[in-house]
């Protein structure tokens, strides 16, 4: 068997997607291991959850750096210390630039709580409800310099119910996030993603 791909997860908050990735990585047949969880927010809830699962954690607080470039170089350094080969952004509330992406080319994933390209940005559920869509969902995509715009790896649809609020819709979408993020990481770790322009082909 190939050695497991070392995954780094970047968070800013409660880290429920990080936990779903950590649980997947803990399964014997999963082709990735969670090497480190890094937060840019010192008190992020996800840090305690990761530590409680025996996973290495680190804080790289963006406020300690003069600019985005030096913040990203510090992030890269921590990830390199843990020999990270691929990165999953999981509720990481900072834009990443080419400096970060070129350290892990084609190997940075993000999860977004809508069916992209609909409703990018920080208020996906609010925007989806305001627009009156009947189906929303979630997307795992490869990260590019344009926010929420990279090639799509996996999506799941979630019907909008009458009377849904941001919270009730978010809760049902989150269940699907926890299912598709590990699936996307598995495909990346198995080397089964072929990117052709915007399209990601999944090899059998
Ligand atoms: C998720 O809805 C994710 O799609 C979005 O931010 C939220 C993070 O939640 N990018 P959690 O920290 O993983 O619980």
């Amino acid at each position: 068997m190939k050695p497991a791909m070392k995954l780094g997860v970047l968070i800013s908050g409660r880290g429920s997607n990080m936990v779903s990735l950590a649980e997947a990585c803990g399964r014997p047949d999963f082709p990735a291991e969670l090497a480190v969880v890094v937060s840019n927010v010192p008190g992020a809830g996800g840090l305690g959850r990761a530590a409680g699962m025996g996973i290495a954690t680190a804080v790289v607080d963006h406020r300690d750096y003069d600019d985005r470039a030096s913040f990203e170089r510090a992030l890269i350094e921590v990830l390199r210390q843990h020999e990270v080969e691929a990165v999953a952004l999981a509720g990481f509330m900072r834009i990443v630039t080419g400096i970060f992406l070129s350290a892990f080319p084609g190997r940075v994933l993000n999860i977004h709580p809508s069916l992209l390209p609909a409703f990018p940005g920080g208020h996906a559920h609010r925007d989806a409800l305001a627009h009156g869509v009947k189906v929303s969902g979630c997307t795992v995509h490869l990260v590019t310099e344009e926010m929420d715009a990279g090639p799509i790896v996996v999506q799941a649809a979630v019907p909008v119910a009458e009377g849904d609020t941001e919270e009730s819709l978010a809760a049902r979408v989150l269940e699907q996030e926890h299912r598709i993020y590990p699936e996307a990481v598995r495909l990346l770790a198995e080397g089964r993603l072929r990117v052709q322009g915007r399209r990601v082909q999944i090899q059998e």
Side-chain angles (χ1 to χ4, degrees):
M1 221 171 80
K2 277 203 304 181
M5 178 184 81
K6 288 189 192 293
L7 179 72
V9 177
L10 303 190
I11 63 167
S12 301
R14 65 189 169 183
S16 73
N17 277 290
M18 177 278 298
V19 169
S20 78
L21 292 171
E23 286 171 354
C25 286
R27 290 184 202 118
D29 63 336
F30 197 77
E33 68 181 76
L34 212 178
V36 64
V37 173
V38 187
S39 172
N40 68 309
V41 176
L47 285 171
R49 298 174 85 174
M53 296 175 84
I55 297 161
T57 63
V59 173
V60 180
D61 186 341
H62 58 280
R63 293 169 302 186
D64 293 342
Y65 299 87
D66 291 338
D67 51 30
R68 214 176 273 281
S70 45
F71 167 62
E72 290 190 3
R73 280 194 284 268
L75 273 180
I76 293 165
E77 196 182 312
V78 170
L79 294 167
R80 291 246 188 275
Q81 281 164 7
H82 291 268
E83 299 175 353
V84 162
E85 299 162 284
V87 179
L89 311 184
F92 182 64
M93 303 309 279
R94 307 297 295 171
I95 289 168
V96 295
T97 73
I99 294 177
F100 187 82
L101 296 175
S102 59
F104 306 96
R107 300 175 77 79
V108 182
L109 294 170
N110 182 43
I111 186 147
H112 182 76
S114 75
L115 289 176
L116 290 172
F119 315 121
H123 306 288
H125 301 302
R126 186 193 305 172
D127 295 345
L129 289 173
H131 200 86
V133 295
K134 301 294 187 195
V135 178
S136 192
C138 48
T139 303
V140 179
H141 64 91
L142 287 159
V143 177
T144 57
E145 287 197 63
E146 197 185 338
M147 194 180 68
D148 298 333
I152 291 166
V153 180
V154 187
Q155 291 186 303
V158 174
V160 176
E162 291 292 333
D164 250 340
T165 61
E166 268 183 64
E167 292 69 32
S168 62
L169 178 59
R172 292 202 313 288
V173 170
L174 200 60
E175 283 176 27
Q176 296 304 312
E177 294 185 41
H178 296 163
R179 185 177 65 77
I180 69 169
Y181 214 174
E183 188 182 322
V185 167
R186 170 188 285 282
L187 294 170
L188 179 68
E190 290 175 345
R192 292 169 58 196
L193 304 180
R194 294 283 170 280
V195 184
Q196 289 170 326
R198 279 218 49 85
R199 301 181 70 166
V200 178
Q201 233 182 50
I202 295 171
Q203 309 286 106
E204 282 309 309

